[in-house]
Structures are given as structure tokens and as C-alpha cells.
Amino acid sequence: MTIRTLRDHGQHYRPRMACLKKVEAFVVEMQDPKSGVKASDQKLNITSIPHVITGQDILAWIVTKMKVTTEEAQAFGTMLVAYGYIYPLQNHRKLVLVADSTLYRFQTPYFWPVQKWPAEDIDYAIYLAKRNIRKKGMLEPYEQEHYNNLHKWMNYKWDFIVMQATEQYKASKERKKPDRVVLDCQERAYWIVHRPPRRTHSGMDYGLDRLIDPNAEEVLTYDMVRRTNIFLTQALMRSAVKSSVSLTAFVKYVTTHHTHDPLLTNPVPSNPWITDNDEFWQLNMRNVDIPTKLSVERWALSFWELISDQRGRADFKLFLKKEHSGENMAFYEAAEEMRWGAATAIPEKSQFIFNTFLKPGAPRWINIDGRTMGLTVKGLDCPHRYVLDAAQTHIFLLMKKDTFYRYLKSPVYKDMQKKALVPAPHNFTDAQLEANAKNRNPGISPIVLWQQQEAEKAAAAVAARPIDVKAMVATNKLDRK
Amino acid sequence: FSGSFGEVYQTFHLSIYMSSNNKFSISPEMATQEVQPNETLSNLKAESDTLKTKLEDERAKLHDVELHQVAEKVDGLGQFIMKTRRTLKGHGNKVLCMDWCKDKRRIVSSSQDGKVIVWDAFTTNKEHAVTMPCTWVMACAYAPSGCAVACGGLDNKCSVYPLSLDKNENLAAKKKSVAMHTNYLSACSFTNSDMQILTSSGDGTCALWDVESGQLLQSFHGHAADVLCLDLAPSETGNTFISGGCDKKANVWDMRSGQCIQSFETHESDINSVRYYPSGDAFASGSDDATCRLYDLRADREVAIYSKESIIFGASSVDFSLSGRLLFGGYNDYTINVWDVLKGTRVSILFGHENRVSALRVSPDGTAFCSGSWDHTLRVWA
């Protein structure tokens, strides 16, 4: 049967299959007797089956019609088979399009995925029962499993199911042999798509249903509209930036980062995933002595890039130590820790931060304006994780706008630029690549690295603590004789 | 122009903090004010429409150039070849989600059969495996320290499993149940530390949790339907995140106040995936309507649509390359499309998976990306 028109079936129970409408348009065109895929009759086990198409014809038609490459057409063709619009005649369990003389047929619209009725279990039970009646032991193992399951939990309806199956079996016996074969093929194809056997990937297997029904009318309550209005009013109060300004910023970002993107510019010495050699990662580790030139260049792009790279942050801290303004970075880190840390640790941390950075005469007193200081200290009475936000922003902007630029001009950074490594690109022969693939470096577990880092931090915290003179005298460390 | 959106926002936020009369923020009182007698629903709707048109006009005035016009002076990309470098086999059912570890080589992935596996993708060894008590583990995330993983799904919860160096240790014994939603968990992500988790759920809300105590720190209401995805801002202020849902909206939230600060509704179907642009000033979304779109946060509008006539099946997962020049999209027709973000054209199409691509993430240093698929495998491409 040829289909010439496309009807909207509403898809009321197949919510997210909007793609199927577009697919159907194609399928209808494909079946056009003049401009569609050419069909022929094929002999299959004595009977002659009409309207059979070959895989390569389908592929050629898709390539011409959609103006795509063969591979893309292959992907689309596979989708057609996976959703059950076309079914294979011979290897009926593999729902892919094979681009040779493999035979396919168009599925009848009765069995198309968009129809209003879902593939219910009861229909499946009737189908399996019918096949069982026709010839016992004809069910495949996975079908037998389904059958047993359905028999168990649909037991109360089983008489009805058997009755229906017998009726359908009798009706099919009345039909002519070719029709019967075709109908059997169609029905079998339908159930392969809707109850796929193991290792068959069917398009109807679309995962969990989402809670909301897209066909349900959206009910706008009073409250919702008021909230929308408040949101819109606020949006109008906010200022936006001109497109030319923000889009130019994207282009600038992409251009400056082009050389740092390993997928666009080959990384030196080599991309570990391609050559199976992880030297690239080893050269960029947190605690490496001399960083690579590319890393050092990246630090100069922005303050955020500098402190996001752990090696860069270490270098920056070295510079701050020389400038005797390490307290800014320390405060920033402490504030970050409080913001992202556990809720129970907040009172303790806020106390520590106050004593170390904020109280008058504190050992690492940070220099922020009086107003911010006043607000922060007042807020510390009832500390919450965002209490240091104002001070943190002030310090961050200070470092970003002033200290960062001085860092870039400093001997610390210039020295690092000179010392930075430019690793030679790897040039592995095929034999070496094979050897690499066999000897992939397992690396260090991140858990171990984390423990190392924590130990270092603890040691640094102890070292940074102000020296308690009384305690030292008590332990006789200061000999005053 | 100076600084990024983050900076502008930060100064704005500062002013809220500073002013004792909180006139700018929305207070609970405003939303529950006494109803004025003449404010009927139709009046409100009319007001809503006028506000919308006014906002669109304001934004349209600032739209003086298109992205591809600005991108004209940028060099084209030329031929782009990427191949599967690793295939990770081991899951017994559909792979639903994956995440990279900060060490750039380890991956955690979760699947429909309830298994969560931690791999060293470089050597393709499995390092840890956890069996969740529920099926359909739709969300998984690696902790920034590399010492724990979080996962959840149909159990409506997000649980954190601390990883151990001892291979024989039963990880399920130390499991910590953190988040609790009233419907399935669709996505989860650690914030900048192991101590906080951000989750999104089918019940239409997102929530921020304290891991240690399991306490709810902030909840985010505003989506009218299932929230399917979220992503945290990479920028220096790190105070916002985006979420996409079945109501076709992509929202930008302020983590501190719980408010939705921006909202974009241009997709025609469910938004399956949202991802921030590396600079934090834009984000991309992939949807069931077979398009990926780029939204500019500073200009407050959609600036690009990545689609083709021949791409009919929905995009399930998107991610940017390190420079933001490339956008990778995993689609339901088993393919991965690579888009040139600036020019709006498709650079390449990758084949290899035998069922739909459900998860796609670029590695932290941008050297490769990993795609998880319903064909039970994960592939690393470079």
C-alpha cells in the first residue's frame, strides 16, 4: 500500500517525538511511485513479496534528497529503521540500514510510531499467544521470557487474551498466502521495535517519561502572572550591553585562547590521548619546578587565568611574598574556603579570619576601606557563608587591577618567562606508538595528590602562625642565658 | 567596556549588600502583597504582555550586529579530524551520564542498571564500581578534590561516595545521602569544593546542599516543569548557575539569593543540556527541537542558532572546547556534530556510537572529549 498523504496524529501519548513529524514527511516522499525509492517484487521462500526496496537505493535517495554525505545518509537511514518506518526482511533483529542489496519494506502506517495507541502489554500478550497457537515452540528465548512474565501478571485476563489470539489466528488463515506473509512480517517488525530483544537498539526506546505532558494546556494562575510581571520589571531595570561590545568580547576570547586550545593547536610535546604518552600532563602539574611557556603565557591573559592555574597561583604568591603583601591572597583563599566549605565550620573559620586579618593589630591585617571593614566586622557577629563577600570582592578587585599588572612587570614573572620550557614536539614512529599504547603510564591517584596538598597546606598554616614567645620560652627553645 | 558581566554584577550585588534599605531586591512581602481590587487576571496578563514587548524593544535597540558578522574577520577552521582514541566498555546497560575528574584523565559514569563506574580513561582501567540501589542513575559528578563522586536518579536522592585507595573496600558502606527531592534527580554538580552540591530534579526545582550535614542551603523555584540540566559559572565571581528544563526555558540563578536573574525562552522543545561558555559571559543549550543555541548573558539575548535541515533528532548534550571556538553536540541519531561557535557552521560530524549519545563532556584541560551513549560504551575523542 502506498501512502500519499501525511496526517497529524497528535502524538498525544508520545510527547517528545516532534522529530517524527519531520521524519514522516520524508517517509511519505520516499514512497512516492514516481520520485521515491524504486520498489520491486522479490521472491522469498516461494512467495513473492511486493514493494521491496534495497538498502543502497534508500541510501542513494536520501543522499540526493537531503543533500548530505553518504555517512550522514546512513545515520538517517538507520534512524528510519530504528523507529520502525522501514523494516528489514531477512535479518529482522538488526535495526540498521545496510547499504547494499539487503532488502527492506516500508511499514504500514497502522504500525507507525505516531499512532495514538501505545504498544500495550496486552497487545503483546495476544501477539505472542497467537504465535504460540500457530506453532508451539516458535517463540524465541527472549519472547518466551516475556510470555512467561505476561502470563504471570496478566493471568486474570488470560482467557480473554487466548480468545483474541485464536480469533486473530483464524482470521489470518482466511487470508491469501502472500498477504498473510506480508502481514506477519509487518507485525513482527512492529514488535521488534516496541519490545526490542537484547542488543537491538530501537528508536522507540526513548528513556524515562518526563513528568510534564507537553500537550497539556498551560494553566496560568494569578500568582504565576504576578511573579512574571515582577521578574520583567526587574529585568527592565537591569542594563544590558550592546551586542557589538559583547560579541567582540567573544571573538577576542576565542582568538587569545586559540593557541591554548589543544583541539585547535596541537599541544607540545603531544596530545596524550593521541600518542599515549602523558608527558604533556606531567609538564603541567601543580608542583612542577619549571612550567611550560604556554602556561606562562596563559597566566598573562587575565588575573583569573593566573589564579585558576595552581602553578600560576604559586608563582603569584611568591611575588606577593617579595612584596610583603601576601595577606591579600591569604584572605581571598580563606574567604573562598569559608564560602564553599561545610556549614559547621563557618563559626570557627570566621573567628580565625577575624583574628588573623580583620581585627585591629591583626598579624595579617588587610587594607580595606573603613566602610567595608565596618560592615564586615558587624556581619561577623552572626556569621554566614557570604558574610565576607564585600571584603573579598574589594581585595579581589585590588589584586586584579593593581597587583596583577605589577606582577606581570616584575622580575619574578619575567624570569619565569625566560626559564619556561618549550618542549620539543614528539615524533613517534608507528612502532613507538604501538609501544606507547602498551605502556600507558597509570599516573598518581588524585586521592594521593589531594592528601599531599592537604599536608602541604597544614604545614604552611603552622609556619604562618604568629610565634608565641611564652610557649617557646616554656619549652626552653629560647635560651636566654 | 571594562570587565566581565561578573564584575558588573558584583558591584551591583555590593550595592545591595551596602544599602540598608533593600529596595532593589525582591522581598517576600512584595510577592504576597494584598490584592488590589482592580487587578484581575486579564489585567495582569495584559500588563505582562506590555512588559514583555517593552523588554524586547529595549533589548532590540542594543542589538546592532550579528555574531557571524563580527566573526567575518576570524579565520576559518579548515578540515577538522577527530577520532575515537579510547572505548570504555564495561557498563551493562545504557550510559546516562559522565563527568571528568580534575586530573584530566579519570572519568565517572553512571548507567541505567544502577552501576556507577570510575575509570582511568587513559589506561581504560576501571578503578572503582558502585552499585546504586536504584536503576536509571541519571546524574553523576566527580568531586573537585578527586576523592569522592556523587550520583543519583530515580531514587530522588543525591548520594556522595568517598573513594578510597583500597580497591577491595566496599564504597557503599561510606555512602552519604545528601540531597532529597520529591522526584527524580536529573543532574548534579559539586561547586568549587567537595562540601557543596547543586542538584536539579524532575520536580521542577534546583537546590544547593551542604554535603556534611545534608542541609538544604538554598532552593531555586521558577521552572514550571522538570529541570533537566544545570551548569555552574566558571567566572571569578562564581555566584551564578544556569538550568534548562522541560518548560523550554533556560534560567540564570543567583546562588546566594535563590532568585532567577535572567530567563531565555526561545527553544521549541525541552532543553536537555546547558553549558557555560568558557569566559562565563554566554552559554549554549541543546534541545529536543534538534537545535543548539548560544545565549549572550551581557546583551541578554539569543545570538546564534546551530541547526541544519538534515539534523532532525534532538541534541542531548553539549559542551565547548577550551577556547570556546568549538561546540560539540551529542544527538539522538547516534552522531556528534561539531559546530564553529563564531561562524555558526558545522565543522564536522562524528560517527561511531550505535545508539543515542546521552552525555558529552570536554576534559578539564581541553585535550579530548568523552561521549557516553546508550550503546553501553563511552568513547574518548581527540
Side-chain angles (χ1 to χ4, degrees):
Chain A
M1 185 169 93
T2 351
I3 316 306
R4 264 167 259 257
T5 54
L6 185 66
R7 278 187 296 181
D8 185 351
H9 299 283
Q11 294 178 60
H12 282 285
Y13 80 100
R14 291 280 183 221
R16 273 150 205 94
M17 297 276 182
C19 49
L20 292 183
K21 273 205 194 136
K22 294 185 206 162
V23 173
E24 273 186 14
F26 272 105
V27 176
V28 169
E29 275 186 61
M30 278 174 90
Q31 296 187 62
D32 188 278
K34 289 192 210 79
S35 62
V37 186
K38 43 185 192 358
S40 58
D41 290 357
Q42 284 281 343
K43 256 192 155 22
L44 198 74
N45 295 346
I46 317 164
T47 42
S48 172
I49 304 200
H51 297 286
V52 173
I53 45 184
T54 61
Q56 55 204 30
D57 284 340
I58 300 175
L59 201 67
W61 189 89
I62 298 174
V63 170
T64 344
K65 180 77 188 166
M66 287 178 93
K67 299 189 194 55
V68 292
T69 62
T70 326
E71 287 159 315
E72 272 187 80
Q74 174 96 22
F76 183 67
T78 305
M79 283 287 105
L80 289 176
V81 183
Y83 278 97
Y85 287 101
I86 297 177
Y87 62 92
L89 277 178
Q90 285 137 329
N91 196 356
H92 59 269
R93 289 170 104 193
K94 212 158 183 335
L95 297 177
V96 285
L97 185 79
V98 189
D100 55 17
S101 54
T102 321
L103 304 172
Y104 295 88
R105 281 198 87 238
F106 288 108
Q107 180 65 285
T108 171
Y110 179 83
F111 284 137
W112 279 4
V114 282
Q115 293 300 348
K116 276 198 176 150
W117 43 92
E120 297 257 15
D121 278 331
I122 189 167
D123 296 325
Y124 193 44
I126 294 172
Y127 166 69
L128 290 177
K130 182 171 63 177
R131 290 205 24 218
N132 225 5
I133 292 172
R134 183 186 305 155
K135 189 167 148 196
K136 264 209 166 342
M138 215 172 94
L139 293 178
E140 308 215 17
Y142 80 95
E143 287 176 324
Q144 190 63 46
E145 221 183 290
H146 276 290
Y147 182 81
N148 295 340
N149 273 338
L150 289 168
H151 186 81
K152 207 192 309 180
W153 76 268
M154 279 187 137
N155 212 320
Y156 62 102
K157 280 196 214 171
W158 205 253
D159 290 335
F160 169 72
I161 290 171
V162 170
M163 185 184 74
Q164 284 285 313
T166 333
E167 288 292 321
Q168 286 188 17
Y169 175 59
K170 281 193 199 142
S172 81
K173 276 180 91 165
E174 312 262 311
R175 289 194 198 100
K176 287 189 282 194
K177 181 108 196 284
D179 286 342
R180 192 169 57 212
V181 170
V182 165
L183 247 61
D184 282 346
C185 279
Q186 286 174 342
E187 209 181 359
R188 180 181 64 182
Y190 176 73
W191 285 112
I192 298 253
V193 169
H194 288 269
R195 295 282 185 274
R198 254 183 92 75
R199 291 194 195 88
T200 296
H201 301 301
S202 145
M204 290 322 288
D205 189 8
Y206 67 95
L208 281 185
D209 250 334
R210 290 163 189 176
L211 275 187
I212 190 155
D213 177 13
N215 292 308
E217 281 299 319
E218 194 184 347
V219 175
L220 279 179
T221 62
Y222 186 79
D223 194 43
M224 281 168 70
V225 186
R226 275 195 73 204
R227 281 179 197 275
T228 320
N229 289 356
I230 294 168
F231 174 77
L232 288 169
T233 329
Q234 284 191 310
L236 278 166
M237 284 197 288
R238 250 194 307 268
S239 62
V241 161
K242 268 204 220 171
S243 283
S244 51
V245 166
S246 57
L247 295 176
T248 324
F250 293 147
V251 175
K252 182 167 171 231
Y253 187 90
V254 167
T255 330
T256 47
H257 284 81
H258 194 273
T259 43
H260 301 278
D261 188 342
L263 295 174
L264 293 174
T265 321
N266 275 327
V268 279
S270 66
N271 190 327
W273 299 100
I274 300 180
T275 57
D276 290 321
N277 179 299
D278 69 344
E279 202 181 323
F280 178 69
W281 289 331
Q282 300 207 2
L283 291 173
N284 284 303
M285 284 194 82
R286 173 182 71 89
N287 44 12
V288 74
D289 262 339
I290 315 279
T292 59
K293 201 167 180 75
L294 205 63
S295 298
V296 177
E297 272 172 25
R298 196 159 168 198
W299 300 346
L301 290 179
S302 85
F303 183 56
W304 179 242
E305 295 275 3
L306 174 65
I307 59 173
S308 302
D309 182 0
Q310 287 181 311
R311 184 67 187 77
R313 195 186 275 221
D315 214 49
F316 185 62
K317 283 195 202 166
L318 198 69
F319 167 71
L320 288 176
K321 200 164 157 193
K322 295 214 162 123
E323 292 241 313
H324 300 290
S325 54
E327 69 272 1
N328 285 343
M329 195 67 209
F331 175 74
Y332 175 76
E333 286 188 336
E336 280 282 284
E337 231 180 272
M338 193 166 114
R339 213 204 305 175
W340 302 115
T344 48
I346 292 177
E348 183 197 318
K349 282 196 186 137
S350 63
Q351 197 57 33
F352 170 75
I353 291 175
F354 177 71
N355 287 335
T356 322
F357 299 102
L358 298 171
K359 112 177 142 190
R364 304 186 86 174
W365 192 77
I366 54 164
N367 197 352
I368 50 178
D369 66 288
R371 194 156 167 238
T372 321
M373 178 68 90
L375 270 162
T376 312
V377 171
K378 196 164 146 207
L380 281 170
D381 279 339
C382 305
H384 56 92
R385 61 181 64 240
Y386 302 114
V387 71
L388 297 171
D389 263 11
Q392 189 184 357
T393 317
H394 182 110
I395 294 288
F396 183 81
L397 288 176
L398 174 71
M399 288 197 288
K400 175 174 169 173
K401 298 215 155 131
D402 176 53
T403 329
F404 176 58
Y405 292 106
R406 281 192 286 118
Y407 165 73
L408 289 179
K409 295 195 200 110
S410 74
V412 175
Y413 182 70
K414 298 238 185 255
D415 215 24
M416 194 51 78
Q417 273 182 312
K418 285 196 210 109
K419 279 198 288 182
L421 299 172
V422 183
H426 282 149
N427 213 337
F428 291 120
T429 62
D430 282 338
Q432 282 174 317
L433 283 174
E434 269 186 49
N436 283 349
K438 294 203 187 92
N439 300 332
R440 290 176 190 152
N441 191 350
I444 313 175
S445 165
I447 303 174
V448 171
L449 288 172
W450 177 252
Q451 288 169 343
Q452 281 176 354
Q453 209 179 346
E454 290 292 286
E456 277 172 33
K457 257 205 278 187
V462 168
R465 223 177 282 150
I467 305 165
D468 189 354
V469 180
K470 285 198 186 129
M472 290 203 89
V473 168
T475 54
N476 287 326
K477 284 219 169 102
L478 280 180
D479 197 336
R480 288 241 153 211
K481 277 203 195 122
Chain B
F1 65 105
S2 65
S4 67
F5 170 71
E7 219 177 272
V8 170
Y9 176 69
Q10 195 66 21
T11 39
F12 174 65
H13 207 80
L14 199 62
S15 62
I16 293 180
Y17 188 83
M18 297 288 218
S19 71
S20 44
N21 275 341
N22 258 335
K23 286 209 199 87
F24 287 101
S25 68
I26 172 177
S27 51
E29 291 78 50
M30 249 172 101
T32 55
Q33 254 165 14
E34 283 305 313
V35 172
Q36 306 303 324
N38 55 358
E39 266 185 8
T40 60
L41 189 60
S42 50
N43 281 353
L44 277 186
K45 278 192 191 162
E47 192 189 332
S48 184
D49 290 331
T50 37
L51 282 173
K52 270 194 202 139
T53 23
K54 196 170 161 200
L55 185 64
E56 274 169 32
D57 288 338
E58 289 284 314
R59 297 289 181 252
K61 274 190 233 163
L62 295 171
H63 190 60
D64 47 355
V65 74
E66 296 285 336
L67 180 61
H68 60 86
Q69 290 172 305
V70 178
E72 261 159 31
K73 47 189 159 104
V74 181
D75 289 333
L77 277 177
Q79 239 216 340
F80 195 75
I81 303 171
M82 283 187 91
K83 288 195 236 174
T84 304
R85 305 291 173 176
R86 303 281 190 280
T87 309
L88 304 177
K89 294 190 194 173
H91 276 292
N93 215 316
K94 307 182 173 71
V95 176
L96 300 174
C97 184
M98 57 103 8
D99 192 17
W100 286 90
C101 175
K102 289 248 177 354
D103 77 345
K104 311 152 194 171
R105 48 189 286 171
R106 281 172 176 78
I107 286 178
V108 64
S109 61
S110 65
S111 78
Q112 187 197 337
D113 59 1
K115 283 241 170 30
V116 175
I117 302 181
V118 176
W119 316 74
D120 176 2
F122 190 63
T123 55
T124 69
N125 291 337
K126 295 188 205 31
E127 298 204 329
H128 305 94
V130 179
T131 311
M132 294 275 288
C134 68
T135 57
W136 286 93
V137 187
M138 290 178 275
C140 64
Y142 220 121
S145 68
C147 299
V149 292
C151 45
L154 273 190
D155 57 351
N156 302 357
K157 293 193 260 189
C158 184
S159 316
V160 175
Y161 291 85
L163 300 173
S164 99
L165 289 167
D166 179 4
K167 302 277 168 166
N168 295 329
E169 191 173 335
N170 181 13
L171 294 177
K174 294 222 196 100
K175 158 177 153 175
K176 207 172 181 343
S177 211
V178 175
M180 201 91 81
H181 278 279
T182 52
N183 221 299
Y184 69 87
L185 195 87
S186 53
C188 69
S189 171
F190 282 91
T191 60
N192 286 4
S193 81
D194 287 13
M195 298 284 118
Q196 284 178 22
I197 287 192
L198 191 60
T199 58
S200 69
S201 160
D203 63 11
T205 66
C206 303
L208 182 66
W209 308 83
D210 178 66
V211 173
E212 211 184 33
S213 58
Q215 193 192 4
L216 171 67
L217 297 173
Q218 184 64 264
S219 72
F220 307 90
H221 298 261
H223 276 288
D226 317 32
V227 184
L228 295 178
C229 48
L230 56 83
D231 191 29
L232 279 142
S235 60
E236 49 222 41
T237 46
N239 255 334
T240 60
F241 75 93
I242 43 176
S243 68
C246 287
D247 54 354
K248 309 172 199 163
K249 284 209 211 132
N251 290 344
V252 183
W253 305 87
D254 174 16
M255 277 208 280
R256 199 179 142 163
S257 62
Q259 280 205 62
C260 171
I261 40 181
Q262 281 174 286
S263 182
F264 302 91
E265 195 173 351
T266 58
H267 269 293
E268 292 159 21
S269 188
D270 302 351
I271 298 179
N272 292 318
S273 173
V274 285
R275 192 73 65 207
Y276 265 100
Y277 190 76
S279 71
D281 292 331
F283 70 92
S285 61
S287 155
D288 272 342
D289 64 3
T291 64
C292 296
R293 293 170 198 240
L294 184 70
Y295 297 92
D296 183 342
L297 289 171
R298 290 203 293 164
D300 203 14
R301 60 181 305 117
E302 171 195 282
V303 291
I305 306 181
Y306 306 103
S307 69
K308 252 176 131 53
E309 280 249 343
S310 55
I311 300 178
I312 292 179
F313 296 91
S316 62
S317 192
V318 295
D319 203 355
F320 284 101
S321 72
L322 189 137
S323 62
R325 182 69 191 270
L326 301 169
L327 178 68
F328 299 100
Y331 288 75
N332 290 345
D333 62 355
Y334 315 178
T335 64
I336 296 170
N337 287 296
V338 186
W339 301 92
D340 181 335
V341 171
L342 297 179
K343 298 205 187 262
T345 55
R346 184 176 66 186
V347 170
S348 170
I349 176 168
L350 305 172
F351 304 94
H353 278 295
E354 290 163 16
N355 204 331
R356 57 167 89 173
V357 179
S358 52
L360 194 153
R361 294 292 286 267
V362 172
S363 81
D365 63 350
T367 45
F369 74 87
C370 179
S371 59
S373 157
W374 282 14
D375 66 0
H376 312 348
T377 67
L378 292 118
R379 282 172 186 245
V380 180
W381 307 75

Short mmCIF file of all heavy atoms in Angstrom, two decimals, chain B residues 109-136:
data_model
loop_
_atom_site.label_atom_id
_atom_site.label_comp_id
_atom_site.label_asym_id
_atom_site.label_seq_id
_atom_site.Cartn_x
_atom_site.Cartn_y
_atom_site.Cartn_z
N SER B 109 31.13 7.45 35.39
CA SER B 109 29.97 7.32 34.51
C SER B 109 28.91 6.49 35.21
O SER B 109 29.22 5.63 36.02
CB SER B 109 30.38 6.66 33.19
OG SER B 109 30.88 5.37 33.43
N SER B 110 27.65 6.77 34.86
CA SER B 110 26.56 6.05 35.50
C SER B 110 25.63 5.51 34.42
O SER B 110 25.53 6.08 33.34
CB SER B 110 25.79 6.98 36.42
OG SER B 110 25.16 8.00 35.67
N SER B 111 24.95 4.43 34.76
CA SER B 111 24.12 3.82 33.72
C SER B 111 22.76 3.40 34.24
O SER B 111 22.45 3.52 35.42
CB SER B 111 24.84 2.62 33.12
OG SER B 111 24.74 1.53 34.00
N GLN B 112 21.96 2.86 33.33
CA GLN B 112 20.58 2.53 33.63
C GLN B 112 20.48 1.36 34.61
O GLN B 112 19.49 1.22 35.31
CB GLN B 112 19.86 2.16 32.34
CG GLN B 112 18.38 1.97 32.50
CD GLN B 112 17.77 1.21 31.34
OE1 GLN B 112 18.33 1.22 30.25
NE2 GLN B 112 16.66 0.60 31.57
N ASP B 113 21.50 0.51 34.66
CA ASP B 113 21.38 -0.65 35.54
C ASP B 113 21.80 -0.35 36.96
O ASP B 113 21.92 -1.25 37.78
CB ASP B 113 22.20 -1.82 34.98
CG ASP B 113 23.67 -1.47 34.84
OD1 ASP B 113 24.04 -0.34 35.19
OD2 ASP B 113 24.44 -2.33 34.39
N GLY B 114 22.04 0.94 37.26
CA GLY B 114 22.35 1.30 38.64
C GLY B 114 23.83 1.29 38.96
O GLY B 114 24.23 1.56 40.09
N LYS B 115 24.67 1.01 37.97
CA LYS B 115 26.11 0.95 38.25
C LYS B 115 26.76 2.31 37.98
O LYS B 115 26.49 2.96 36.98
CB LYS B 115 26.77 -0.07 37.32
CG LYS B 115 26.53 -1.49 37.74
CD LYS B 115 27.85 -2.17 38.06
CE LYS B 115 27.73 -3.51 38.72
NZ LYS B 115 26.54 -4.28 38.39
N VAL B 116 27.65 2.67 38.90
CA VAL B 116 28.45 3.88 38.72
C VAL B 116 29.90 3.42 38.70
O VAL B 116 30.36 2.78 39.63
CB VAL B 116 28.22 4.86 39.88
CG1 VAL B 116 29.13 6.06 39.75
CG2 VAL B 116 26.77 5.30 39.92
N ILE B 117 30.62 3.72 37.62
CA ILE B 117 31.99 3.24 37.48
C ILE B 117 32.95 4.42 37.37
O ILE B 117 32.67 5.38 36.66
CB ILE B 117 32.14 2.34 36.23
CG1 ILE B 117 31.18 1.16 36.31
CG2 ILE B 117 33.57 1.84 36.09
CD1 ILE B 117 31.28 0.22 35.13
N VAL B 118 34.08 4.31 38.09
CA VAL B 118 35.13 5.32 37.96
C VAL B 118 36.23 4.69 37.12
O VAL B 118 36.76 3.64 37.48
CB VAL B 118 35.68 5.71 39.34
CG1 VAL B 118 36.85 6.67 39.19
CG2 VAL B 118 34.59 6.34 40.18
N TRP B 119 36.57 5.31 36.01
CA TRP B 119 37.59 4.78 35.10
C TRP B 119 38.82 5.68 35.09
O TRP B 119 38.68 6.89 35.25
CB TRP B 119 37.08 4.79 33.66
CG TRP B 119 35.72 4.32 33.39
CD1 TRP B 119 34.56 4.98 33.66
CD2 TRP B 119 35.35 3.12 32.71
NE1 TRP B 119 33.48 4.26 33.22
CE2 TRP B 119 33.94 3.12 32.62
CE3 TRP B 119 36.07 2.06 32.18
CZ2 TRP B 119 33.24 2.08 32.03
CZ3 TRP B 119 35.37 1.03 31.58
CH2 TRP B 119 33.97 1.04 31.52
N ASP B 120 39.97 5.08 34.81
CA ASP B 120 41.10 5.88 34.39
C ASP B 120 41.04 5.79 32.87
O ASP B 120 41.48 4.79 32.28
CB ASP B 120 42.40 5.29 34.93
CG ASP B 120 43.61 6.07 34.42
OD1 ASP B 120 43.44 7.07 33.69
OD2 ASP B 120 44.74 5.69 34.76
N ALA B 121 40.49 6.79 32.23
CA ALA B 121 40.23 6.69 30.80
C ALA B 121 41.51 6.55 29.98
O ALA B 121 41.49 5.98 28.90
CB ALA B 121 39.45 7.92 30.32
N PHE B 122 42.62 7.05 30.51
CA PHE B 122 43.88 6.97 29.76
C PHE B 122 44.32 5.53 29.59
O PHE B 122 44.73 5.11 28.52
CB PHE B 122 44.95 7.79 30.49
CG PHE B 122 46.21 7.96 29.70
CD1 PHE B 122 46.20 8.65 28.49
CD2 PHE B 122 47.41 7.46 30.15
CE1 PHE B 122 47.35 8.82 27.76
CE2 PHE B 122 48.58 7.64 29.42
CZ PHE B 122 48.55 8.31 28.23
N THR B 123 44.24 4.74 30.67
CA THR B 123 44.64 3.34 30.58
C THR B 123 43.44 2.42 30.35
O THR B 123 43.61 1.22 30.17
CB THR B 123 45.31 2.88 31.89
OG1 THR B 123 44.40 3.16 32.96
CG2 THR B 123 46.61 3.62 32.14
N THR B 124 42.25 2.97 30.37
CA THR B 124 40.96 2.28 30.25
C THR B 124 40.71 1.29 31.40
O THR B 124 39.87 0.39 31.28
CB THR B 124 40.77 1.54 28.90
OG1 THR B 124 41.66 0.42 28.86
CG2 THR B 124 41.01 2.44 27.74
N ASN B 125 41.42 1.46 32.51
CA ASN B 125 41.15 0.58 33.65
C ASN B 125 39.98 1.08 34.46
O ASN B 125 39.79 2.27 34.64
CB ASN B 125 42.37 0.55 34.59
CG ASN B 125 43.54 -0.15 33.96
OD1 ASN B 125 43.37 -0.95 33.06
ND2 ASN B 125 44.73 0.17 34.44
N LYS B 126 39.24 0.11 35.02
CA LYS B 126 38.16 0.51 35.92
C LYS B 126 38.79 0.61 37.32
O LYS B 126 39.44 -0.31 37.76
CB LYS B 126 37.06 -0.54 35.96
CG LYS B 126 36.33 -0.73 34.65
CD LYS B 126 35.14 -1.63 34.89
CE LYS B 126 34.67 -2.41 33.68
NZ LYS B 126 35.61 -2.80 32.69
N GLU B 127 38.56 1.71 37.99
CA GLU B 127 39.18 1.85 39.30
C GLU B 127 38.22 1.57 40.43
O GLU B 127 38.59 0.98 41.43
CB GLU B 127 39.76 3.26 39.45
CG GLU B 127 40.84 3.53 38.42
CD GLU B 127 41.80 4.60 38.87
OE1 GLU B 127 41.38 5.51 39.60
OE2 GLU B 127 42.98 4.52 38.51
N HIS B 128 37.00 2.03 40.31
CA HIS B 128 36.01 1.77 41.35
C HIS B 128 34.68 1.47 40.69
O HIS B 128 34.41 1.94 39.59
CB HIS B 128 35.80 3.00 42.26
CG HIS B 128 37.04 3.52 42.88
ND1 HIS B 128 37.78 4.53 42.33
CD2 HIS B 128 37.67 3.18 44.02
CE1 HIS B 128 38.81 4.79 43.11
NE2 HIS B 128 38.76 3.99 44.14
N ALA B 129 33.85 0.73 41.38
CA ALA B 129 32.49 0.49 40.88
C ALA B 129 31.54 0.48 42.06
O ALA B 129 31.86 -0.08 43.11
CB ALA B 129 32.42 -0.83 40.13
N VAL B 130 30.42 1.15 41.90
CA VAL B 130 29.42 1.20 42.95
C VAL B 130 28.10 0.76 42.35
O VAL B 130 27.78 1.14 41.22
CB VAL B 130 29.25 2.65 43.48
CG1 VAL B 130 28.20 2.70 44.55
CG2 VAL B 130 30.56 3.19 43.98
N THR B 131 27.35 -0.03 43.09
CA THR B 131 26.01 -0.37 42.61
C THR B 131 25.01 0.40 43.44
O THR B 131 24.92 0.25 44.65
CB THR B 131 25.74 -1.88 42.76
OG1 THR B 131 26.85 -2.57 42.20
CG2 THR B 131 24.49 -2.28 42.01
N MET B 132 24.26 1.24 42.77
CA MET B 132 23.25 2.03 43.46
C MET B 132 22.01 1.17 43.70
O MET B 132 21.73 0.26 42.91
CB MET B 132 22.85 3.23 42.58
CG MET B 132 23.93 4.23 42.36
SD MET B 132 23.99 5.40 43.70
CE MET B 132 22.53 6.34 43.38
N PRO B 133 21.24 1.51 44.72
CA PRO B 133 20.04 0.71 44.97
C PRO B 133 18.91 1.00 43.99
O PRO B 133 17.87 0.36 44.06
CB PRO B 133 19.65 1.14 46.39
CG PRO B 133 20.27 2.47 46.58
CD PRO B 133 21.50 2.50 45.77
N CYS B 134 19.10 1.94 43.08
CA CYS B 134 18.02 2.23 42.13
C CYS B 134 18.55 2.09 40.71
O CYS B 134 19.75 2.10 40.48
CB CYS B 134 17.52 3.66 42.33
SG CYS B 134 18.73 4.91 41.84
N THR B 135 17.66 1.98 39.76
CA THR B 135 18.06 1.97 38.36
C THR B 135 18.01 3.40 37.85
O THR B 135 17.62 4.30 38.57
CB THR B 135 17.11 1.11 37.51
OG1 THR B 135 15.80 1.63 37.68
CG2 THR B 135 17.17 -0.33 37.90
N TRP B 136 18.38 3.61 36.61
CA TRP B 136 18.34 4.93 35.98
C TRP B 136 19.08 5.97 36.81
O TRP B 136 18.48 6.91 37.35
CB TRP B 136 16.90 5.39 35.73
CG TRP B 136 16.27 4.67 34.60
CD1 TRP B 136 15.51 3.55 34.66
CD2 TRP B 136 16.36 4.99 33.20
NE1 TRP B 136 15.13 3.15 33.40
CE2 TRP B 136 15.63 4.02 32.49
CE3 TRP B 136 17.00 6.00 32.47
CZ2 TRP B 136 15.52 4.02 31.09
CZ3 TRP B 136 16.88 6.01 31.08
CH2 TRP B 136 16.15 5.02 30.42
#
